[in-house]
Coordinates of all heavy atoms in Angstrom, one line a residue:
A1 N 0.8 -1.2 0.0 CA 0.0 0.0 0.0 C 0.9 1.2 0.0 O 2.0 1.2 0.6 CB -0.9 0.0 1.2
P2 N 0.5 2.3 -0.7 CA 1.3 3.5 -0.7 C 1.4 4.0 0.8 O 0.5 3.9 1.6 CB 0.5 4.5 -1.6 CG -0.8 3.9 -1.7 CD -0.8 2.4 -1.4
E3 N 2.5 4.7 1.0 CA 2.7 5.2 2.4 C 1.7 6.3 2.8 O 1.3 6.4 3.9 CB 4.1 5.8 2.5 CG 5.2 4.8 2.3 CD 6.6 5.4 2.4 OE1 6.8 6.6 2.7 OE2 7.5 4.7 2.0
R4 N 1.3 7.1 1.8 CA 0.3 8.1 2.1 C -0.7 8.0 1.0 O -0.4 7.7 -0.2 CB 0.9 9.5 2.3 CG 1.6 10.0 1.0 CD 2.3 11.3 1.3 NE 3.1 11.6 0.2 CZ 3.0 12.6 -0.6 NH1 2.0 13.5 -0.4 NH2 3.8 12.8 -1.6
P5 N -2.0 8.3 1.3 CA -3.0 8.2 0.2 C -2.7 9.2 -0.9 O -2.2 10.3 -0.6 CB -4.3 8.4 0.9 CG -3.9 9.0 2.3 CD -2.5 8.7 2.5
A6 N -3.0 8.8 -2.1 CA -2.9 9.8 -3.2 C -3.9 10.9 -3.1 O -5.0 10.6 -2.6 CB -3.1 9.0 -4.5
P7 N -3.6 12.1 -3.5 CA -4.5 13.2 -3.4 C -5.7 12.9 -4.3 O -5.6 12.4 -5.4 CB -3.8 14.4 -3.9 CG -2.6 13.9 -4.6 CD -2.3 12.5 -4.1
V8 N -6.9 13.3 -3.7 CA -8.1 13.0 -4.5 C -8.5 14.3 -5.2 O -8.5 15.4 -4.6 CB -9.3 12.6 -3.5 CG1 -10.6 12.4 -4.2 CG2 -8.9 11.3 -2.8
A9 N -8.9 14.2 -6.4 CA -9.2 15.4 -7.2 C -10.6 15.9 -6.7 O -11.5 15.1 -6.4 CB -9.3 15.1 -8.7
P10 N -10.8 17.2 -6.6 CA -12.1 17.7 -6.2 C -13.2 17.3 -7.2 O -12.9 17.2 -8.4 CB -11.9 19.2 -6.1 CG -10.7 19.5 -6.9 CD -9.9 18.3 -6.9
P11 N -14.4 17.2 -6.8 CA -15.5 16.9 -7.8 C -15.7 18.1 -8.7 O -15.4 19.2 -8.3 CB -16.7 16.6 -6.9 CG -16.4 17.3 -5.6 CD -14.9 17.3 -5.4
P12 N -16.1 17.8 -9.9 CA -16.3 18.9 -10.9 C -17.4 19.8 -10.4 O -18.4 19.4 -9.8 CB -16.7 18.2 -12.2 CG -17.1 16.8 -11.8 CD -16.4 16.5 -10.5
A13 N -17.1 21.1 -10.6 CA -18.1 22.1 -10.2 C -19.3 22.0 -11.1 O -19.3 21.7 -12.2 CB -17.5 23.5 -10.3
E14 N -20.5 22.3 -10.4 CA -21.7 22.4 -11.1 C -21.7 23.6 -12.1 O -21.3 24.7 -11.7 CB -22.9 22.4 -10.2 CG -23.1 21.2 -9.3 CD -23.5 20.0 -10.2 OE1 -24.3 20.2 -11.1 OE2 -23.0 18.9 -9.9
P15 N -22.3 23.4 -13.3 CA -22.3 24.6 -14.2 C -23.3 25.6 -13.6 O -24.3 25.3 -13.1 CB -22.8 24.0 -15.5 CG -23.3 22.7 -15.2 CD -22.8 22.2 -13.9
T16 N -22.9 26.9 -13.8 CA -23.8 28.0 -13.4 C -24.3 28.7 -14.6 O -23.7 28.6 -15.7 CB -23.0 28.9 -12.4 OG1 -21.9 29.5 -13.1 CG2 -22.6 28.2 -11.2
A17 N -25.3 29.6 -14.4 CA -25.8 30.3 -15.5 C -24.8 31.3 -16.1 O -24.9 31.6 -17.2 CB -27.1 31.1 -15.0
D18 N -23.9 31.8 -15.2 CA -23.0 32.8 -15.7 C -21.7 32.2 -16.2 O -20.8 32.9 -16.6 CB -22.7 33.9 -14.6 CG -22.1 33.3 -13.4 OD1 -22.4 32.1 -13.1 OD2 -21.2 33.9 -12.8
A19 N -21.6 30.9 -16.3 CA -20.4 30.2 -16.8 C -20.4 30.4 -18.3 O -21.4 30.7 -18.9 CB -20.5 28.7 -16.5
G20 N -19.2 30.4 -18.8 CA -19.0 30.6 -20.2 C -19.7 29.6 -21.1 O -20.3 28.7 -20.6
P21 N -19.7 29.8 -22.4 CA -20.4 28.9 -23.3 C -19.8 27.5 -23.2 O -18.6 27.3 -23.0 CB -20.2 29.5 -24.7 CG -19.0 30.3 -24.6 CD -19.0 30.8 -23.1
G22 N -20.7 26.5 -23.2 CA -20.3 25.1 -23.2 C -21.0 24.3 -24.2 O -21.9 24.9 -24.9
P23 N -20.7 23.1 -24.4 CA -21.3 22.3 -25.5 C -22.8 22.1 -25.3 O -23.6 22.0 -26.2 CB -20.5 21.0 -25.5 CG -20.0 20.9 -24.1 CD -19.7 22.3 -23.7
F24 N -23.2 22.1 -24.0 CA -24.6 21.9 -23.7 C -25.5 23.2 -23.8 O -26.7 23.1 -23.8 CB -24.8 21.2 -22.4 CG -24.1 19.9 -22.3 CD1 -23.0 19.7 -21.5 CD2 -24.5 18.8 -23.1 CE1 -22.3 18.5 -21.5 CE2 -23.9 17.6 -23.0 CZ -22.8 17.4 -22.2
R25 N -24.8 24.3 -23.8 CA -25.6 25.6 -23.9 C -25.6 26.1 -25.3 O -26.5 26.8 -25.7 CB -24.9 26.6 -23.0 CG -25.3 26.4 -21.5 CD -24.8 27.5 -20.7 NE -24.1 27.3 -19.5 CZ -23.1 26.5 -19.3 NH1 -22.7 25.7 -20.2 NH2 -22.5 26.4 -18.2
T26 N -24.6 25.8 -26.1 CA -24.5 26.4 -27.5 C -25.3 25.6 -28.4 O -25.8 26.2 -29.4 CB -23.0 26.4 -27.9 OG1 -22.5 25.1 -27.9 CG2 -22.2 27.4 -27.1
A27 N -25.5 24.3 -28.2 CA -26.3 23.6 -29.2 C -27.8 24.0 -29.2 O -28.3 24.3 -30.3 CB -26.2 22.1 -28.9
P28 N -28.5 24.2 -28.1 CA -29.8 24.7 -28.2 C -29.9 26.1 -28.8 O -30.8 26.4 -29.6 CB -30.3 24.7 -26.8 CG -29.5 23.8 -26.1 CD -28.1 23.8 -26.7
V29 N -29.0 27.0 -28.5 CA -29.0 28.3 -29.0 C -28.8 28.3 -30.5 O -29.5 28.9 -31.3 CB -27.9 29.2 -28.4 CG1 -27.7 30.5 -29.1 CG2 -28.1 29.4 -26.9
A30 N -27.9 27.5 -31.0 CA -27.6 27.4 -32.5 C -28.9 26.8 -33.1 O -29.2 27.2 -34.2 CB -26.4 26.5 -32.7
T31 N -29.5 25.8 -32.5 CA -30.7 25.2 -33.1 C -31.8 26.3 -33.2 O -32.5 26.4 -34.2 CB -31.2 24.0 -32.3 OG1 -30.1 23.1 -32.2 CG2 -32.4 23.4 -32.9

């Protein structure tokens, strides 16, 4: 076993309304 536990990555942040454009927001707008 490793001597100390490996660092755990933080969970991904929930998208907010003021977040920049993303693939799930640009597709409905383009449509």
Side-chain angles (χ1 to χ4, degrees):
E3 292 178 14
R4 59 187 172 115
V8 177
E14 292 293 321
T16 60
D18 61 326
F24 300 110
R25 286 190 229 41
T26 57
V29 172
T31 304

